[in-house]
Amino acid sequence: MDTVQFLMDGFATALQWHNILFALVGVIIGTAVGVLPGIGPMSGVALLIPVTATITSGMPTEAAAASSIILLAGVYYGAMYGGSTTSILLNTPGESSSVVTALDGYQMAQQGRAGAALSISAIGSFVAGIISLIGLVLLAKPLSNLALEFGPAEYFSLMLLGLCAVSGLAGKSVTKALIMTVLGLMLGTIGIDAVSGIARFTYDIPVLYGGIEFLTIAVGLFAIGEVFKTILEREVDEQPIAKINRILPTKQDLKDSAKPIARGSLLGFFIGVLPGAGATLASFFSYITEKKVSKKPESFGKGNIAGVAGPESANNAASGGAMIPLLTLGIPGSGTTAILMGALIMYNVQPGPLLFNDHPDIAWGLIASMFIGNLVLLILNMPLVKVFAKIIQTPKKYLLPIIIAISFFGVYAVQYSTFDLYLLIACGVFGYLFTKNDYPVAPLVLALVLGPMIENNMRRALTISNGDWDIFVTSPLSLLFLIIAVAWIVVPLILKLLGRKVVINEEE
Amino acid sequence: MVKSFDKISGVVFLVISILFITGSLQISGSAYGSAVGPKTYPLILGIILGLLSLRLIYETFKKNTESQKNEKPQMKYKNLGIILISAILYITLLEIIGFVLSTFLFLLVAFQVMEKGKIISSIIIAAVFSIGVYLMYVNLLGGTLPKFSLF
């Protein structure tokens, strides 16, 4: 009963007119972000943090945090809807989680069934979104109650597990991913030490005393980095876009995709809950599963609707599932949720078990708004899919410089210092270089967000144990987390040595 | 390119880790009342990065014989260069000539670098964006952005 009551209160928050507006704007921008190739959900969310911070600046902190997180989460799952559009119409996925959608989706478009493919992916995404939200509602209370029992040692190990999981699955080389993680942790130590008040690595430069701002790094590495990449590698010739004739799927289509949608949703949800494994892996696994259970596996890749319905449901369910560790444990499992977490921390709201007790408005308001947002997305995507398809044609000539200008404005409005703008440009260059050379940047951002908390919990635990490092292995839960963390790094390495092909998670 | 970048970055990361270790050793020791001071954690990080960068260097030299992939031709380094320089000029001028003018100039230059021509629509879009953002932020939301302040 408790949960239902909280959820109703959440709807009261989410149904305030400005929050409906925020959810609406969020999912529309999210869909656009998903449609535009080159801007993934991660840079979309990073780019919008300063913008939302500006818009909500006049509101009380609590309400401002609720409204901005509603908008930012809307961008996140909205992008999952939008990503399928370009996969199907252009054969160029708007973001990595829609790569497998292109396999069958583009074939369907070639056969004149683009409308059916698009609407099935919208319906699948909607069903998956709702299923994962129900999972979130059911798991939120028990998980956060469990997490309340955690001491600093357990938290330290759990965060380490989160970092290892993301690094272990990110990119081609574990070494490079781990290097990026450690770099992020190092950046997090710059500034005044929260425990002792001693300045570390500031070299008497005043701007460094406050620490390196997460926002600047995230916007620089993702948004600006991607813009630089697109400027450098721009292809002049534009591909023709497949025509959309009939939007509604036939009864046969619906019948064929009902089971894949259900399977994809459940699979995606559980993969999303796991740290490190995100929407990309979820859609990939769903595709493999559909191919295995199908009676006609040879029809995959030739326009089988199950190959669109399954993965599209899975990636949306995964993005919902990924909210669970973020909200209940305070551990983001992917790059995008790390950025969402950074946004919450900017508003002085600490995600984690206490979120549901201290800020029920934010936690439940967000969950309720996701129900509304998913409904809006379904309504938007069915009739308006032709309009969104037009966004693909936005000339890059105008789009890219305006993205740079928006990032500059956003970062300057929040930080009010030109130092952060220079840092932004530098991060953009590094972001481009790193991604180009297979250094995944998501672990860096995740580590930057988690770093200070990892250190605090480590020192708290060591203070409790009087400096005895055994505390991390004598607590059974902490030991369990550490073992899983090590396994996450070691098992893929062993599999690689055995010559198995290991699925890796691309940036999302 | 990936291989040579890895070699350089491996060395750079090693240098960073050494600097980080020496830097963290200079931080004063134990804080009052707690067993672990502010230097322990950065010290551990520095050591881990050092080990990882050694591993990276080892990996790159081991794979050295592998053939390198051909890079895509026609990289538009010139375009990116101009946009980078104008972005830096934009930041420098932002607090001198104000938000509207500097944003307008930056966008105009960047639009033209991306694709020459259509100068009138470039001017209109740049002007609408810079003036629009300024008016919305300053008048509607009550924020402040740098104004023209040469005098």
Side-chain angles (χ1 to χ4, degrees):
Chain A
M1 267 329 276
D2 239 14
T3 310
V4 176
Q5 183 57 43
F6 277 123
L7 188 62
M8 287 304 132
D9 290 347
F11 271 108
T13 311
L15 285 172
Q16 287 166 351
W17 69 268
H18 63 272
N19 283 339
I20 295 182
L21 192 69
F22 272 90
L24 191 67
V25 171
V27 294
I28 292 175
I29 295 178
T31 312
V33 161
V35 168
L36 289 169
I39 310 177
M42 209 145 42
S43 43
V45 175
L47 198 60
L48 278 168
I49 291 174
V51 179
T52 50
T54 320
I55 298 173
T56 56
S57 57
M59 294 155 73
T61 327
E62 182 101 345
S67 300
S68 359
I69 200 73
I70 283 174
L71 193 151
L72 295 172
V75 176
Y76 178 31
Y77 56 80
M80 295 294 158
Y81 276 76
S84 56
T85 311
T86 41
S87 294
I88 293 167
L89 295 180
L90 273 176
N91 203 17
T92 47
E95 20 104 16
S96 55
S97 58
S98 298
V99 171
V100 286
T101 312
L103 296 177
D104 278 285
Y106 186 64
Q107 288 301 323
M108 283 182 73
Q110 295 285 297
Q111 295 159 13
R113 290 161 74 207
L118 287 170
S119 55
I120 272 300
S121 68
I123 293 169
S125 298
F126 174 73
V127 173
I130 298 298
I131 288 180
S132 66
L133 270 175
I134 293 171
L136 177 56
V137 169
L138 293 179
L139 282 174
K141 260 287 157 194
L143 257 181
S144 57
N145 284 342
L146 174 74
L148 278 176
E149 309 287 314
F150 289 179
E154 281 83 6
Y155 258 110
F156 170 79
S157 307
L158 185 61
M159 289 180 193
L160 218 56
L161 164 63
L163 284 182
C164 287
V166 171
S167 323
L169 288 170
K172 289 172 187 144
S173 152
V174 180
T175 317
K176 289 179 180 178
L178 286 174
I179 285 181
M180 297 308 280
T181 310
V182 179
L183 274 184
L185 293 174
M186 285 174 154
L187 284 175
T189 63
I190 295 174
I192 303 278
D193 170 33
V195 181
S196 62
I198 290 171
R200 293 187 296 186
F201 308 106
T202 52
Y203 306 105
D204 292 328
I205 303 166
V207 279
L208 287 181
Y209 280 97
I212 298 282
E213 186 56 41
F214 139 82
L215 178 70
T216 315
I217 303 278
V219 175
L221 285 180
F222 295 116
I224 305 280
E226 276 178 12
V227 167
F228 285 171
K229 178 173 178 263
T230 326
I231 292 175
L232 268 181
E233 294 165 8
R234 193 161 74 109
E235 284 158 25
V236 185
D237 51 320
E238 304 280 327
Q239 279 171 285
I241 296 172
K243 270 207 178 133
I244 309 165
N245 299 321
R246 178 201 158 89
I247 289 177
L248 287 176
T250 60
K251 272 196 181 140
Q252 186 61 38
D253 287 337
L254 282 175
K255 217 180 123 201
D256 288 342
S257 39
K259 276 183 188 165
I261 287 176
R263 275 191 295 261
S265 305
L266 290 175
L267 189 76
F269 175 72
F270 287 110
I271 292 181
V273 174
L274 294 176
T280 312
L281 271 189
S283 59
F284 194 82
F285 274 126
S286 164
Y287 190 79
I288 300 173
T289 317
E290 287 315 318
K291 211 170 168 176
K292 265 192 191 140
V293 278
S294 169
K295 284 171 194 142
K296 295 178 285 181
E298 71 280 357
S299 66
F300 276 81
K302 289 173 191 150
N304 191 324
I305 199 160
V308 176
E312 272 307 307
S313 316
N315 72 32
N316 234 47
S319 72
M323 301 298 282
I324 291 180
L326 171 70
L327 292 178
T328 57
L329 305 176
I331 311 280
S334 68
T336 320
T337 43
I339 291 174
L340 287 177
M341 180 164 176
L344 282 172
I345 293 173
M346 268 180 63
Y347 285 100
N348 214 3
V349 175
Q350 180 72 48
L354 289 174
L355 180 71
F356 286 86
N357 291 328
D358 293 354
H359 309 280
D361 284 7
I362 298 174
W364 290 103
L366 171 65
I367 294 175
S369 85
M370 286 172 76
F371 278 106
I372 299 167
N374 270 295
L375 195 64
V376 172
L377 278 168
L378 181 69
I379 300 167
L380 273 183
N381 273 274
M382 298 286 272
L384 290 182
V385 74
K386 287 183 184 173
V387 181
F388 279 115
K390 282 261 181 336
I391 297 179
I392 306 170
Q393 290 154 314
T394 315
K396 294 234 173 72
K397 170 184 181 183
Y398 299 120
L399 185 68
L400 297 177
I402 283 182
I403 292 177
I404 301 183
I406 291 177
S407 330
F408 275 30
F409 160 73
V411 168
Y412 190 80
V414 174
Q415 298 295 117
Y416 222 82
S417 87
T418 45
F419 166 79
D420 275 89
L421 292 182
Y422 288 117
L423 187 62
L424 186 68
I425 294 282
C427 285
V429 175
F430 279 119
Y432 167 72
L433 285 177
F434 281 145
T435 347
K436 187 171 170 53
N437 294 291
D438 303 327
Y439 292 79
V441 281
L444 191 152
V445 173
L446 183 65
L448 182 61
V449 173
L450 285 180
M453 286 185 281
I454 289 184
E455 182 180 11
N456 276 345
N457 279 300
M458 183 190 98
R459 283 161 71 175
R460 247 183 262 161
L462 287 174
T463 308
I464 292 171
S465 72
N466 263 327
D468 189 352
W469 291 80
D470 284 352
I471 187 166
F472 297 112
V473 286
T474 45
S475 144
L477 262 180
S478 167
L479 180 65
L480 179 72
F481 292 147
L482 285 179
I483 291 173
I484 302 175
V486 173
W488 219 293
I489 299 289
V490 175
V491 170
L493 282 181
I494 293 173
L495 285 179
K496 249 182 219 169
L497 281 181
L498 293 175
R500 296 269 186 87
K501 205 177 156 229
V502 182
V503 185
I504 51 155
N505 210 8
E506 293 290 326
E507 303 277 88
E508 50 172 288
Chain B
M1 167 127 182
V2 174
K3 285 280 123 54
S4 59
F5 183 86
D6 282 355
K7 267 184 213 165
I8 298 167
S9 63
V11 175
V12 171
F13 287 138
L14 190 62
V15 172
I16 291 177
S17 78
I18 293 166
L19 288 177
F20 209 81
I21 292 170
T22 45
S24 51
L25 285 174
Q26 282 157 14
I27 299 170
S28 62
S30 174
Y32 176 76
S34 69
V36 178
K39 70 198 267 186
T40 320
Y41 174 74
L43 188 64
I44 297 173
L45 291 181
I47 294 168
I48 297 176
L49 183 69
L51 294 176
L52 284 172
S53 53
L54 285 177
R55 163 135 191 106
L56 180 69
I57 295 170
Y58 167 74
E59 276 176 9
T60 27
F61 277 94
K62 204 177 73 174
K63 287 185 199 156
N64 212 7
T65 45
E66 275 177 31
S67 61
Q68 292 192 1
K69 268 189 233 161
N70 282 329
E71 285 295 314
K72 262 193 206 164
Q74 307 175 324
M75 297 285 278
K76 298 181 174 158
Y77 286 111
K78 198 181 133 201
N79 283 1
L80 186 66
I82 299 173
I83 286 180
L84 268 182
I85 292 168
S86 46
I88 291 166
L89 278 176
Y90 174 27
I91 302 170
T92 336
L93 291 175
L94 180 64
E95 289 182 340
I96 302 169
I97 63 170
F99 176 81
V100 175
L101 199 56
S102 56
T103 311
F104 172 76
L105 289 175
F106 168 73
L107 282 179
L108 191 60
V109 172
F111 288 156
Q112 289 304 311
V113 171
M114 294 293 295
E115 201 179 296
K116 282 216 176 82
K118 288 190 195 160
I119 188 105
I120 291 172
S121 54
S122 297
I123 291 177
I124 292 172
I125 293 175
V128 167
F129 179 85
S130 48
I131 297 172
V133 167
Y134 186 85
L135 288 182
M136 211 175 73
Y137 185 62
V138 174
N139 293 353
L140 224 61
L141 299 164
T144 40
L145 284 170
K147 285 186 201 141
F148 186 78
S149 62
L150 256 185
F151 313 107

